Amino acid sequence: MDIKDTARPLDGAGVSAFLRSLPAEPLLLGLGEARHFVDELGEVRNEVFRHLVEHEGYRSFAIESDCLMGLVVDDYVRTGAGSLDEVMERGFSHGFGASPANRELVRWMRAYNEEHDEKLRFFGFDGPLEYWAASPRQALTALHALLDGPLPCSPETLDELLGPDDRWSDEATARDPARSIGRSAEARRLRLIADDMVALLATQVPRLSAEDRERAALYGRTAVGLLRYHHWMADASPARWTRLSAQRDAMMAANLRAVAGHGPALVFGHNLHLQRNKSAMPFGDQTLEWWSAGAITGAHLGDRYAFLASALGTTGDDTPPPDTVEGVLSTLPWDRALVDARRLVHAVTEPTPRVSEDFRYFPLDPARLDTIDGVVFLKRALV
């Protein structure tokens, strides 16, 4: 099979044709990043999302960013609360607020909502995490405020147990588990309180508005997830980072299932998080392996979850060898292509795995092409 028979130019018609080729209409369409902070990929994502909104009925967008910070962006997109500058500063984690493509996306979503009755929604689907983790204060206190008595503790007790936030968000805990308070007496009690409040929420759903139910559920799963994450931050065993990576993706998957309730939605995050198979990443002297958020989500949604991986050809001085998947895709006549991965498997025979000079770029795994639905390929990208 000729490589050109597997692909077409990346445009609106190609996106719609790709959706029609799937076995079912996806509730979540994952668009992965092979590398963060590639501006051209963000621009492509924006074009795809606009097409999905205008021609395929999509009304939600989710990004690999702090789910609680994302509420700031969603409020702005829906109601115009705040200014665009404030939202970009306060509404994103991981430095994503500085991305010109993200700024343009938020601006466009707000402009769309000003002209349409059916509003677009914005979601962050990551936890409040870097390699360390935020205090669970925001999630716990916000959930507490939405519930009616009898509550498992008073606001004062909650505040006392939480203590100063910098005890939780100490970046040094990433290197030294002994600095974490995740297994302290206070943290253990807070885990019980969080569990009690989530159970209480289940009994009080009828008294809450739809918006309050949505936010309470978000606060509940975030509080529980953060306290679990902090528990493993305090672990000194060799399993520590595997468990932390798995816990992070489990939190992502729980958020994605909530986003699916507003589907269909475009989801944008790293390939490692959105792929359907186990993720693997070199980490010091070990290789971490864990089930990705996409694998967990796919187990729940089946064919209603679809995944487009991204891949880059030449990035800076890094050019893919011709016998790699990216090298073969670089022979396509288009700078931007949408590739049918199910046909690509038959068109690329015995490819060599690419080893990139850019440690932040994760090349396509030729042994796992059959686990993705399609590839967004950019022949050249600035990084």
Side-chain angles (χ1 to χ4, degrees), residues 44-166:
V44 167
R45 173 208 65 194
N46 290 354
E47 293 171 13
V48 169
F49 184 60
R50 285 195 294 268
H51 176 82
L52 292 172
V53 169
E54 293 169 352
H55 300 279
E56 300 293 341
Y58 280 55
R59 293 294 178 267
S60 297
F61 174 85
I63 189 172
E64 182 194 328
S65 182
D66 184 328
C67 55
L68 299 185
M69 285 183 167
L71 296 173
V72 174
V73 186
D74 188 52
D75 282 343
Y76 174 77
V77 164
R78 288 188 299 117
T79 71
S83 69
L84 182 56
D85 286 342
E86 293 169 344
V87 167
M88 299 311 298
E89 181 179 352
R90 297 174 46 237
F92 290 86
S93 59
H94 313 322
F96 294 155
S99 162
N102 286 343
R103 184 183 183 90
E104 172 56 23
L105 175 73
V106 174
R107 185 208 64 77
W108 181 82
M109 291 178 71
R110 176 60 199 148
Y112 180 95
N113 281 348
E114 288 177 334
E115 300 294 331
H116 296 82
D117 293 332
E118 193 175 3
K119 305 303 183 187
L120 303 181
R121 298 291 306 275
F122 181 99
F123 299 95
F125 70 88
D126 201 356
L129 308 169
E130 296 290 343
Y131 281 108
W132 56 97
S135 166
R137 177 182 301 277
Q138 180 183 356
L140 284 170
T141 56
L143 176 59
H144 192 283
L146 286 171
L147 296 173
D148 198 9
L151 292 164
C153 72
S154 67
E156 293 76 19
T157 298
L158 196 59
D159 184 64
E160 181 180 347
L161 290 170
L162 285 163
D165 285 347
D166 58 9

Side-chain angles (χ1 to χ4, degrees), residues 364-382:
L364 287 174
D365 184 346
R368 292 179 169 176
L369 292 179
D370 59 349
T371 67
I372 61 181
D373 296 298
V375 178
V376 168
F377 180 71
L378 307 184
K379 186 177 291 188
R380 301 174 188 84
L382 298 175

Side-chain angles (χ1 to χ4, degrees), residues 108-335:
W108 181 82
M109 291 178 71
R110 176 60 199 148
Y112 180 95
N113 281 348
E114 288 177 334
E115 300 294 331
H116 296 82
D117 293 332
E118 193 175 3
K119 305 303 183 187
L120 303 181
R121 298 291 306 275
F122 181 99
F123 299 95
F125 70 88
D126 201 356
L129 308 169
E130 296 290 343
Y131 281 108
W132 56 97
S135 166
R137 177 182 301 277
Q138 180 183 356
L140 284 170
T141 56
L143 176 59
H144 192 283
L146 286 171
L147 296 173
D148 198 9
L151 292 164
C153 72
S154 67
E156 293 76 19
T157 298
L158 196 59
D159 184 64
E160 181 180 347
L161 290 170
L162 285 163
D165 285 347
D166 58 9
R167 294 197 309 164
W168 300 91
S169 58
D170 181 3
E171 296 180 19
T173 57
R175 297 181 298 276
D176 183 4
R179 295 182 65 107
S180 171
I181 65 168
R183 297 189 179 184
S184 65
E186 295 93 338
R188 289 196 298 269
R189 187 173 173 195
L190 285 169
R191 290 185 76 181
L192 291 173
I193 289 171
D195 183 71
D196 283 345
M197 287 201 293
V198 170
L200 184 58
L201 170 61
T203 72
Q204 295 189 2
V205 166
R207 57 171 286 273
L208 297 172
S209 68
E211 181 172 349
D212 283 347
R213 287 197 299 271
E214 180 182 320
R215 294 210 172 191
L218 171 62
Y219 295 138
R221 62 179 178 268
T222 302
V224 170
L226 273 176
L227 288 164
R228 288 173 181 162
Y229 194 90
H230 280 290
H231 174 84
W232 286 104
M233 287 291 287
D235 180 53
S237 79
R240 181 185 190 230
W241 278 107
T242 296
R243 291 301 298 264
L244 288 170
S245 300
Q247 173 59 25
R248 181 186 181 191
D249 272 58
M251 292 175 69
M252 288 184 176
N255 286 328
L256 288 177
R257 292 199 298 277
V259 172
H262 302 274
L266 180 67
V267 178
F268 187 70
H270 203 284
N271 283 347
L272 285 180
H273 294 305
L274 296 184
Q275 63 192 16
R276 283 202 186 89
N277 46 274
K278 265 190 172 180
S279 292
M281 182 177 71
F283 192 83
D285 59 355
Q286 60 181 315
T287 297
L288 306 181
E289 290 190 3
W290 71 97
W291 285 109
S292 66
I296 299 169
T297 301
H300 285 276
L301 297 183
D303 289 341
R304 304 305 301 278
Y305 176 69
F307 173 53
L308 279 167
S310 72
L312 308 177
T314 298
T315 58
D317 296 328
D318 185 17
T319 299
D323 58 348
T324 62
V325 177
E326 287 97 329
V328 174
L329 291 175
S330 294
T331 65
L332 290 168
W334 314 291
D335 289 336

